[in-house]
Amino acid sequence: MREIDLHVHTNISDGSETPENTVRYAKELGLKAIAITDHDNVGGIAAAKTAGEKYGLEIVGGLELGCGWYGKEVHMLAYDFDPCNKWLRATLGWIITDRNERNEKMAKLISADGIRIDLAELEERHKGSSIGRPHFALCLVEAGVARDVQDAFKRFLDPGCKYYIRRNFLTIEEAAETIRGAGGKPVIAHPGQYKLTEERMTELMQRAEKCGVAGLECYYSGYGEQQVAEYLARAKEYGLCATAGSDWHGKHKPHIQLGSGIKGELCAPYELLQKLREHD
Ligand code: AMP
Ligand code: FE
Ligand code: FE
Ligand code: ZN
């Protein structure tokens, strides 16, 4: 039964659609519940909940945080926290400040190459959103130096590329503590995206279990049956709930479909959300 999607981005971060349109679309698709999980930003949750009441769809308040992991990033999703929690707010404030400082440095690098990039205009155009590399990617496409967003990342914005500047990150322990402190459930996102060795994956699971992570996103866009089975086994071993999310970004990642993934491989029952909520 295709009932839920627990990983959805709106234009409050790097998705293309407003929270309201996202909720309406999810309803049209026949979903029962979706979680709004914008990067570093809880600003879309209230509008999504209002739309959820209007259209008759359950909205789970969510968030996605980047955590440092051996020079790379591991993403942590958060669910059902108090979005007004002071400590959470302070942490998000710190992340946004750090992100903005990084953005300024990146904009300078790009401008130095004669590519016009106006950060103030970008912020004005995406008011209330977390600005990040995806927005820079769109600028590079508009400037005609990249074919599309993927091309912009591959040639200019991925780690090691000319315009990449690393942000500062929370540790997974800090992120989990912040989420739990706000009454929420931390979940490790898309385990297959990090290309971890067996040893590092085991370390991630052990540290996740120790710091009170509640779930592992075992079902994710593009993951095959065997891969899912591997993550389900990991989740079971470390007492984590299995969750499911498409990581939908609307038009900005057009190959991903809300609720169903890339080739319909996602088909998550409501029960997964219930179990996550029961996890202590
Ligand atoms: P930032 O946090 O500003 O460094 O940007 C990171 C975000 O960029 C990620 O969370 C993704 O949503 C997006 N991103 C990273 N790599 C790619 C890629 N190759 N193609 C499209 N989006 C990407
Ligand atoms: Fe994203
Ligand atoms: Fe992510
Ligand atoms: Zn995401």
Coordinates of all heavy atoms in Angstrom, one line a residue, residues 160-247:
G160 N 35.6 19.1 -4.0 CA 36.8 19.0 -4.8 C 36.7 19.9 -6.1 O 37.7 20.1 -6.7
C161 N 35.5 20.4 -6.4 CA 35.3 21.2 -7.5 C 35.7 22.7 -7.2 O 35.7 23.1 -6.0 CB 33.9 21.2 -8.1 SG 33.5 19.6 -8.8
K162 N 35.8 23.5 -8.3 CA 36.3 24.8 -8.2 C 35.5 25.8 -7.2 O 36.1 26.5 -6.5 CB 36.1 25.4 -9.6 CG 37.0 26.6 -9.8 CD 36.9 27.0 -11.3 CE 37.8 28.2 -11.5 NZ 37.6 28.8 -12.8
Y163 N 34.2 25.6 -7.2 CA 33.4 26.6 -6.4 C 32.9 26.0 -5.1 O 32.2 26.6 -4.3 CB 32.2 27.1 -7.2 CG 32.6 27.8 -8.5 CD1 31.8 27.7 -9.6 CD2 33.7 28.6 -8.5 CE1 32.1 28.3 -10.8 CE2 34.0 29.3 -9.7 CZ 33.3 29.1 -10.8 OH 33.6 29.8 -12.0
Y164 N 33.4 24.8 -4.8 CA 32.9 24.1 -3.5 C 33.6 24.7 -2.3 O 34.8 24.7 -2.3 CB 33.1 22.6 -3.6 CG 32.7 21.9 -2.3 CD1 31.4 21.7 -2.0 CD2 33.7 21.5 -1.4 CE1 31.0 21.1 -0.8 CE2 33.3 20.9 -0.2 CZ 32.0 20.7 0.1 OH 31.6 20.1 1.3
I165 N 32.8 25.1 -1.4 CA 33.4 25.5 -0.1 C 32.5 24.7 1.0 O 31.3 24.7 1.0 CB 33.3 27.0 0.2 CG1 34.3 27.7 -0.8 CG2 33.7 27.3 1.6 CD1 34.3 29.2 -0.6
R166 N 33.3 24.0 1.9 CA 32.6 23.2 2.8 C 32.0 24.0 3.9 O 32.5 25.0 4.4 CB 33.7 22.3 3.5 CG 33.1 21.1 4.3 CD 34.2 20.2 4.7 NE 33.9 19.5 5.9 CZ 33.1 18.4 5.9 NH1 32.6 17.9 4.8 NH2 32.8 17.8 7.0
R167 N 30.8 23.6 4.3 CA 30.1 24.3 5.5 C 30.6 23.6 6.7 O 31.3 22.6 6.7 CB 28.6 24.0 5.4 CG 27.9 24.6 4.3 CD 26.4 24.6 4.5 NE 25.7 23.3 4.3 CZ 25.0 22.6 5.2 NH1 24.9 23.1 6.4 NH2 24.5 21.5 4.9
N168 N 30.3 24.1 7.9 CA 30.6 23.4 9.1 C 29.4 22.6 9.5 O 28.2 23.0 9.2 CB 30.9 24.5 10.2 CG 32.2 25.2 10.0 OD1 33.2 24.5 9.9 ND2 32.1 26.5 9.9
F169 N 29.6 21.5 10.1 CA 28.5 20.5 10.3 C 28.4 20.1 11.8 O 29.4 20.1 12.5 CB 28.7 19.3 9.5 CG 28.6 19.5 8.0 CD1 29.8 19.5 7.3 CD2 27.4 19.7 7.4 CE1 29.7 19.8 5.9 CE2 27.3 19.9 6.1 CZ 28.4 20.0 5.3
L170 N 27.2 19.8 12.2 CA 27.0 19.1 13.5 C 27.6 17.7 13.4 O 27.7 17.2 12.3 CB 25.5 19.0 13.8 CG 24.7 20.3 13.9 CD1 23.2 19.9 14.1 CD2 25.2 21.2 15.0
T171 N 27.9 17.1 14.6 CA 28.2 15.7 14.5 C 26.8 15.0 14.6 O 25.8 15.6 14.9 CB 29.0 15.3 15.8 OG1 28.2 15.5 16.9 CG2 30.3 16.0 15.9
I172 N 26.8 13.7 14.3 CA 25.5 13.0 14.4 C 25.0 13.0 15.8 O 23.8 13.0 16.0 CB 25.5 11.6 13.8 CG1 26.5 10.6 14.5 CG2 25.9 11.6 12.3 CD1 26.1 9.2 14.2
E173 N 25.9 13.0 16.8 CA 25.5 13.0 18.2 C 24.8 14.3 18.5 O 23.8 14.4 19.2 CB 26.7 12.8 19.1 CG 27.2 11.3 19.2 CD 28.1 10.9 18.0 OE1 28.5 11.8 17.2 OE2 28.4 9.7 17.9
E174 N 25.4 15.4 18.0 CA 24.9 16.8 18.3 C 23.5 16.9 17.6 O 22.5 17.4 18.2 CB 25.8 17.9 17.8 CG 27.0 18.0 18.6 CD 28.1 18.9 17.9 OE1 28.1 19.0 16.7 OE2 29.0 19.4 18.6
A175 N 23.4 16.4 16.4 CA 22.1 16.5 15.7 C 21.0 15.7 16.4 O 19.9 16.2 16.7 CB 22.3 16.0 14.3
A176 N 21.4 14.5 16.8 CA 20.4 13.6 17.5 C 20.0 14.2 18.8 O 18.8 14.2 19.2 CB 21.0 12.2 17.7
E177 N 20.9 14.7 19.5 CA 20.6 15.3 20.8 C 19.7 16.5 20.7 O 18.7 16.7 21.5 CB 21.9 15.8 21.5 CG 21.9 15.8 23.0 CD 23.2 16.3 23.6 OE1 24.2 16.5 22.8 OE2 23.2 16.6 24.8
T178 N 19.9 17.3 19.7 CA 19.1 18.5 19.4 C 17.7 18.1 19.1 O 16.7 18.6 19.6 CB 19.7 19.3 18.3 OG1 21.0 19.7 18.6 CG2 18.9 20.6 18.0
I179 N 17.6 17.1 18.2 CA 16.2 16.6 17.8 C 15.5 16.0 19.0 O 14.3 16.3 19.2 CB 16.4 15.6 16.6 CG1 17.0 16.3 15.4 CG2 15.0 15.0 16.3 CD1 17.6 15.3 14.4
R180 N 16.2 15.1 19.7 CA 15.5 14.5 20.9 C 15.2 15.5 21.9 O 14.1 15.4 22.6 CB 16.4 13.4 21.4 CG 16.5 12.2 20.5 CD 17.4 11.1 21.1 NE 16.9 10.6 22.3 CZ 16.0 9.5 22.4 NH1 15.6 8.9 21.4 NH2 15.6 9.1 23.6
G181 N 16.0 16.5 22.1 CA 15.8 17.6 23.1 C 14.5 18.3 22.7 O 13.8 18.9 23.6
A182 N 14.2 18.4 21.4 CA 12.9 19.0 21.0 C 11.8 18.1 20.9 O 10.7 18.4 20.3 CB 13.2 19.7 19.6
G183 N 12.0 16.9 21.5 CA 10.9 15.9 21.5 C 10.7 15.1 20.2 O 9.7 14.4 20.0
G184 N 11.7 15.2 19.3 CA 11.5 14.5 18.0 C 12.2 13.2 17.9 O 12.9 12.7 18.8
K185 N 12.0 12.6 16.7 CA 12.7 11.3 16.4 C 13.7 11.5 15.3 O 13.4 11.9 14.2 CB 11.6 10.3 15.8 CG 10.4 10.1 16.7 CD 10.7 9.1 17.7 CE 9.4 8.8 18.4 NZ 9.6 8.2 19.7
P186 N 15.0 11.3 15.6 CA 16.0 11.3 14.6 C 16.1 10.0 13.8 O 15.9 9.0 14.3 CB 17.3 11.5 15.4 CG 17.0 11.4 16.9 CD 15.5 11.0 17.0
V187 N 16.3 10.2 12.5 CA 16.4 9.1 11.6 C 17.6 9.3 10.6 O 17.7 10.4 10.0 CB 15.1 8.9 10.8 CG1 15.2 7.9 9.6 CG2 13.9 8.5 11.7
I188 N 18.4 8.3 10.4 CA 19.5 8.4 9.4 C 18.9 8.3 8.0 O 18.2 7.3 7.7 CB 20.6 7.3 9.6 CG1 21.2 7.3 11.0 CG2 21.7 7.4 8.5 CD1 22.1 8.5 11.3
A189 N 19.2 9.3 7.2 CA 18.6 9.4 5.8 C 19.4 8.6 4.9 O 20.6 8.3 5.1 CB 18.6 10.8 5.3
H190 N 18.8 8.1 3.8 CA 19.4 7.5 2.6 C 20.8 6.9 2.8 O 21.8 7.4 2.3 CB 19.4 8.4 1.4 CG 19.8 9.9 1.7 ND1 21.0 10.2 2.3 CD2 19.2 11.0 1.5 CE1 21.1 11.5 2.4 NE2 19.9 12.1 1.9
P191 N 20.9 5.7 3.5 CA 22.2 5.1 3.9 C 23.0 4.7 2.7 O 24.2 4.6 2.7 CB 21.8 3.9 4.7 CG 20.4 3.6 4.4 CD 19.8 4.9 4.1
G192 N 22.3 4.5 1.5 CA 23.1 4.1 0.3 C 23.8 5.2 -0.4 O 24.6 5.0 -1.2
Q193 N 23.5 6.5 0.0 CA 24.1 7.6 -0.7 C 25.6 7.9 -0.2 O 26.3 8.7 -0.9 CB 23.3 8.9 -0.5 CG 21.8 8.7 -0.9 CD 21.6 8.0 -2.1 OE1 21.2 6.8 -2.1 NE2 21.8 8.6 -3.2
Y194 N 26.0 7.3 0.9 CA 27.3 7.7 1.4 C 28.5 6.8 0.9 O 29.6 7.1 1.2 CB 27.2 7.7 3.0 CG 26.0 8.4 3.5 CD1 25.2 7.7 4.4 CD2 25.6 9.6 3.1 CE1 24.0 8.3 4.9 CE2 24.4 10.2 3.6 CZ 23.6 9.5 4.5 OH 22.5 10.1 5.0
K195 N 28.1 5.7 0.3 CA 29.1 4.8 -0.2 C 30.1 4.4 0.9 O 31.3 4.6 0.7 CB 29.8 5.4 -1.5 CG 28.8 5.7 -2.6 CD 29.5 6.1 -3.9 CE 28.5 6.2 -5.0 NZ 27.4 7.1 -4.8
L196 N 29.6 4.0 2.0 CA 30.4 3.6 3.1 C 31.0 2.2 3.0 O 30.3 1.3 2.5 CB 29.6 3.7 4.4 CG 28.9 5.1 4.8 CD1 28.1 4.9 6.1 CD2 30.0 6.1 5.0
T197 N 32.2 2.1 3.6 CA 32.7 0.7 3.7 C 31.9 0.0 4.8 O 31.2 0.6 5.6 CB 34.2 0.8 4.1 OG1 34.2 1.4 5.4 CG2 35.0 1.5 3.1
E198 N 32.0 -1.3 4.8 CA 31.4 -2.1 5.8 C 31.7 -1.6 7.2 O 30.8 -1.5 8.1 CB 31.9 -3.6 5.6 CG 31.5 -4.6 6.6 CD 30.0 -4.9 6.6 OE1 29.4 -4.8 5.6 OE2 29.5 -5.2 7.7
E199 N 33.0 -1.3 7.4 CA 33.4 -0.9 8.7 C 32.8 0.4 9.1 O 32.3 0.6 10.2 CB 35.0 -0.7 8.6 CG 35.7 -0.6 9.9 CD 37.1 -0.3 9.7 OE1 37.6 -0.2 8.5 OE2 37.8 0.0 10.7
R200 N 32.8 1.4 8.2 CA 32.2 2.7 8.5 C 30.7 2.6 8.7 O 30.1 3.3 9.5 CB 32.5 3.7 7.4 CG 33.9 4.2 7.3 CD 34.1 5.3 8.4 NE 35.4 5.8 8.2 CZ 36.4 5.7 9.1 NH1 36.2 5.1 10.2 NH2 37.6 6.2 8.9
M201 N 30.0 1.8 7.9 CA 28.6 1.6 8.0 C 28.3 1.0 9.4 O 27.3 1.5 10.1 CB 28.0 0.6 7.0 CG 26.5 0.4 7.0 SD 25.6 1.9 6.6 CE 23.9 1.2 6.9
T202 N 29.1 0.1 9.9 CA 28.9 -0.5 11.2 C 29.1 0.6 12.3 O 28.3 0.7 13.2 CB 29.8 -1.7 11.4 OG1 29.5 -2.7 10.4 CG2 29.7 -2.3 12.8
E203 N 30.1 1.4 12.1 CA 30.4 2.4 13.0 C 29.2 3.4 13.1 O 28.8 3.9 14.1 CB 31.7 3.2 12.6 CG 32.0 4.2 13.7 CD 33.1 5.2 13.2 OE1 33.9 4.8 12.3 OE2 33.2 6.3 13.8
L204 N 28.7 3.7 11.9 CA 27.5 4.7 11.8 C 26.3 4.1 12.6 O 25.7 4.8 13.4 CB 27.1 4.9 10.4 CG 25.9 5.9 10.1 CD1 26.2 7.2 10.7 CD2 25.6 6.0 8.7
M205 N 26.1 2.8 12.4 CA 24.9 2.2 13.1 C 25.2 2.2 14.6 O 24.2 2.4 15.4 CB 24.7 0.7 12.6 CG 24.3 0.6 11.1 SD 22.6 1.3 10.9 CE 23.0 2.9 10.3
Q206 N 26.4 1.9 15.0 CA 26.7 1.8 16.4 C 26.5 3.2 17.1 O 25.9 3.3 18.2 CB 28.1 1.3 16.7 CG 28.2 -0.2 16.4 CD 29.6 -0.7 16.4 OE1 30.6 0.1 16.2 NE2 29.8 -2.0 16.5
R207 N 27.1 4.2 16.4 CA 27.0 5.5 17.0 C 25.5 6.0 17.0 O 25.1 6.7 17.9 CB 27.9 6.5 16.2 CG 29.3 6.4 16.7 CD 30.3 7.2 15.8 NE 30.0 8.6 15.9 CZ 30.7 9.5 15.2 NH1 31.7 9.1 14.4 NH2 30.4 10.8 15.2
A208 N 24.8 5.7 15.9 CA 23.4 6.1 15.8 C 22.6 5.5 17.0 O 21.8 6.1 17.6 CB 22.8 5.6 14.5
E209 N 22.8 4.2 17.2 CA 22.0 3.5 18.3 C 22.4 4.1 19.6 O 21.5 4.4 20.4 CB 22.4 2.0 18.3 CG 21.7 1.2 19.3 CD 22.3 -0.2 19.5 OE1 23.5 -0.4 19.2 OE2 21.5 -1.1 19.9
K210 N 23.6 4.4 19.8 CA 24.1 5.0 21.1 C 23.5 6.3 21.4 O 23.2 6.7 22.5 CB 25.6 5.0 21.1 CG 26.2 4.8 22.4 CD 27.7 4.6 22.3 CE 28.4 4.8 23.6 NZ 29.9 4.9 23.4
C211 N 23.4 7.2 20.3 CA 22.9 8.5 20.6 C 21.4 8.7 20.4 O 20.9 9.8 20.3 CB 23.7 9.5 19.8 SG 23.5 9.5 18.0
G212 N 20.7 7.6 20.4 CA 19.2 7.6 20.4 C 18.5 7.9 19.1 O 17.4 8.4 19.0
V213 N 19.2 7.5 18.0 CA 18.6 7.6 16.7 C 17.4 6.6 16.7 O 17.6 5.5 17.2 CB 19.6 7.4 15.5 CG1 18.9 7.1 14.2 CG2 20.5 8.6 15.4
A214 N 16.3 6.9 16.1 CA 15.1 6.0 16.1 C 14.9 5.2 14.9 O 14.3 4.2 14.9 CB 13.9 6.8 16.4
G215 N 15.5 5.7 13.7 CA 15.2 5.0 12.5 C 16.3 5.1 11.5 O 17.2 5.9 11.5
L216 N 16.1 4.2 10.4 CA 17.0 4.2 9.3 C 16.1 4.2 8.0 O 15.1 3.5 7.9 CB 17.8 2.9 9.3 CG 18.9 2.7 8.2 CD1 20.0 3.8 8.3 CD2 19.4 1.3 8.2
E217 N 16.4 5.1 7.1 CA 15.6 5.3 5.9 C 15.9 4.1 4.9 O 16.7 4.3 3.9 CB 15.8 6.6 5.2 CG 14.8 7.0 4.2 CD 15.1 8.5 3.7 OE1 16.2 8.8 3.4 OE2 14.1 9.2 3.5
C218 N 15.4 3.0 5.2 CA 15.7 1.8 4.4 C 15.1 1.8 3.0 O 15.7 1.2 2.1 CB 15.2 0.5 5.1 SG 15.9 0.3 6.8
Y219 N 14.0 2.4 2.9 CA 13.3 2.5 1.6 C 13.5 3.9 1.0 O 13.1 4.9 1.7 CB 11.8 2.3 1.7 CG 11.4 1.0 2.3 CD1 11.2 0.9 3.7 CD2 11.3 -0.2 1.5 CE1 10.8 -0.4 4.3 CE2 10.9 -1.4 2.1 CZ 10.7 -1.5 3.5 OH 10.3 -2.7 4.0
Y220 N 14.1 4.0 -0.1 CA 14.5 5.3 -0.7 C 14.5 5.2 -2.2 O 14.7 4.1 -2.8 CB 15.9 5.7 -0.2 CG 16.4 7.1 -0.6 CD1 16.0 8.2 0.1 CD2 17.4 7.2 -1.6 CE1 16.4 9.5 -0.3 CE2 17.8 8.4 -2.0 CZ 17.4 9.6 -1.3 OH 17.8 10.8 -1.7
S221 N 14.3 6.3 -2.9 CA 14.2 6.4 -4.3 C 15.4 5.6 -4.9 O 16.6 6.0 -4.6 CB 14.2 7.8 -4.8 OG 13.0 8.4 -4.5
G222 N 15.2 4.7 -5.8 CA 16.3 4.0 -6.5 C 16.8 2.8 -5.8 O 17.6 2.1 -6.4
Y223 N 16.5 2.5 -4.6 CA 17.1 1.4 -3.9 C 16.4 0.1 -4.3 O 15.1 0.0 -4.3 CB 16.9 1.5 -2.4 CG 17.8 2.6 -1.7 CD1 18.6 3.4 -2.5 CD2 17.9 2.8 -0.4 CE1 19.5 4.4 -2.0 CE2 18.7 3.7 0.2 CZ 19.5 4.5 -0.6 OH 20.3 5.5 0.0
G224 N 17.2 -0.9 -4.7 CA 16.6 -2.2 -5.2 C 16.3 -3.1 -4.0 O 16.7 -2.8 -2.9
E225 N 15.7 -4.2 -4.3 CA 15.2 -5.1 -3.3 C 16.3 -5.6 -2.4 O 16.2 -5.6 -1.1 CB 14.5 -6.3 -3.9 CG 13.0 -6.2 -4.0 CD 12.4 -7.4 -4.7 OE1 12.6 -8.5 -4.3 OE2 11.7 -7.1 -5.7
Q226 N 17.4 -5.9 -3.0 CA 18.6 -6.5 -2.2 C 19.1 -5.4 -1.3 O 19.5 -5.7 -0.1 CB 19.6 -6.9 -3.2 CG 20.2 -8.3 -2.9 CD 21.3 -8.6 -3.8 OE1 21.5 -8.0 -4.9 NE2 22.1 -9.5 -3.4
Q227 N 19.2 -4.2 -1.8 CA 19.8 -3.1 -1.0 C 18.8 -2.8 0.2 O 19.3 -2.7 1.3 CB 19.8 -1.9 -1.9 CG 20.8 -0.8 -1.4 CD 20.9 0.4 -2.4 OE1 20.2 0.4 -3.4 NE2 21.7 1.3 -2.1
V228 N 17.5 -2.8 -0.1 CA 16.6 -2.6 1.0 C 16.7 -3.7 2.1 O 16.7 -3.4 3.3 CB 15.1 -2.5 0.4 CG1 14.1 -2.5 1.6 CG2 14.9 -1.3 -0.4
A229 N 16.8 -4.9 1.6 CA 16.9 -6.0 2.5 C 18.1 -5.8 3.4 O 18.1 -6.1 4.6 CB 17.0 -7.3 1.8
E230 N 19.2 -5.4 2.9 CA 20.4 -5.1 3.6 C 20.2 -4.1 4.7 O 20.6 -4.3 5.9 CB 21.6 -4.7 2.7 CG 22.9 -4.5 3.4 CD 23.9 -3.7 2.6 OE1 23.9 -3.8 1.4 OE2 24.6 -2.9 3.3
Y231 N 19.5 -3.0 4.4 CA 19.3 -2.0 5.4 C 18.2 -2.4 6.4 O 18.4 -2.0 7.6 CB 18.8 -0.7 4.7 CG 19.9 -0.1 3.7 CD1 19.6 0.4 2.5 CD2 21.2 -0.2 4.1 CE1 20.5 0.8 1.6 CE2 22.2 0.3 3.2 CZ 21.9 0.8 2.0 OH 22.8 1.2 1.1
L232 N 17.3 -3.2 6.0 CA 16.3 -3.7 6.9 C 17.0 -4.6 8.0 O 16.7 -4.5 9.2 CB 15.2 -4.5 6.2 CG 14.2 -3.7 5.4 CD1 13.3 -4.6 4.6 CD2 13.4 -2.7 6.2
A233 N 17.9 -5.4 7.5 CA 18.7 -6.2 8.5 C 19.5 -5.4 9.4 O 19.5 -5.6 10.6 CB 19.6 -7.2 7.7
R234 N 20.1 -4.3 8.9 CA 20.9 -3.4 9.8 C 20.0 -2.7 10.8 O 20.3 -2.6 12.0 CB 21.5 -2.3 8.9 CG 22.5 -2.7 7.9 CD 23.9 -2.7 8.6 NE 24.9 -3.0 7.6 CZ 26.2 -3.2 7.9 NH1 26.6 -3.1 9.2 NH2 27.0 -3.4 7.0
A235 N 18.8 -2.3 10.3 CA 17.9 -1.6 11.2 C 17.5 -2.5 12.4 O 17.5 -2.1 13.5 CB 16.7 -1.1 10.5
K236 N 17.2 -3.7 12.0 CA 16.8 -4.7 13.0 C 17.9 -5.0 14.0 O 17.7 -5.0 15.2 CB 16.4 -6.0 12.3 CG 15.6 -6.9 13.1 CD 15.0 -8.1 12.3 CE 14.4 -9.1 13.2 NZ 14.3 -10.4 12.6
E237 N 19.1 -5.1 13.5 CA 20.2 -5.4 14.3 C 20.5 -4.3 15.4 O 20.8 -4.6 16.5 CB 21.5 -5.6 13.5 CG 22.7 -6.0 14.2 CD 23.9 -6.2 13.3 OE1 23.8 -6.1 12.1 OE2 25.1 -6.4 13.9
Y238 N 20.2 -3.1 15.0 CA 20.5 -2.0 15.9 C 19.3 -1.4 16.5 O 19.3 -0.3 17.1 CB 21.4 -0.9 15.2 CG 22.7 -1.4 14.8 CD1 23.0 -2.0 13.6 CD2 23.7 -1.5 15.8 CE1 24.2 -2.5 13.2 CE2 25.0 -2.0 15.5 CZ 25.2 -2.5 14.2 OH 26.4 -3.1 13.9
G239 N 18.2 -2.0 16.4 CA 16.9 -1.6 17.1 C 16.4 -0.3 16.5 O 15.8 0.5 17.2
L240 N 16.6 -0.1 15.2 CA 16.1 1.1 14.5 C 14.8 0.8 13.7 O 14.7 -0.3 13.2 CB 17.1 1.7 13.6 CG 18.5 2.0 14.2 CD1 19.4 2.5 13.1 CD2 18.4 3.1 15.3
C241 N 13.9 1.7 13.6 CA 12.7 1.5 12.8 C 13.1 1.7 11.3 O 13.9 2.6 11.0 CB 11.6 2.5 13.1 SG 10.9 2.3 14.7
A242 N 12.5 1.0 10.4 CA 12.7 1.3 9.0 C 11.7 2.4 8.6 O 10.5 2.4 8.9 CB 12.4 0.0 8.2
T243 N 12.2 3.4 7.9 CA 11.4 4.5 7.3 C 11.5 4.5 5.8 O 12.4 3.8 5.3 CB 11.7 5.9 7.9 OG1 12.9 6.3 7.4 CG2 11.7 5.8 9.5
A244 N 10.6 5.3 5.2 CA 10.6 5.4 3.7 C 10.4 6.8 3.2 O 9.6 7.5 3.8 CB 9.4 4.5 3.2
G245 N 11.2 7.2 2.3 CA 11.1 8.5 1.7 C 11.6 8.6 0.3 O 12.6 7.9 0.0
S246 N 11.0 9.5 -0.5 CA 11.4 9.6 -1.9 C 12.5 10.6 -2.0 O 13.3 10.6 -3.0 CB 10.2 10.0 -2.8 OG 9.8 11.4 -2.4
D247 N 12.6 11.6 -1.1 CA 13.5 12.8 -1.3 C 13.1 13.6 -2.5 O 13.9 14.1 -3.3 CB 15.0 12.4 -1.5 CG 16.0 13.4 -0.9 OD1 15.5 14.4 -0.5 OD2 17.2 13.1 -0.9

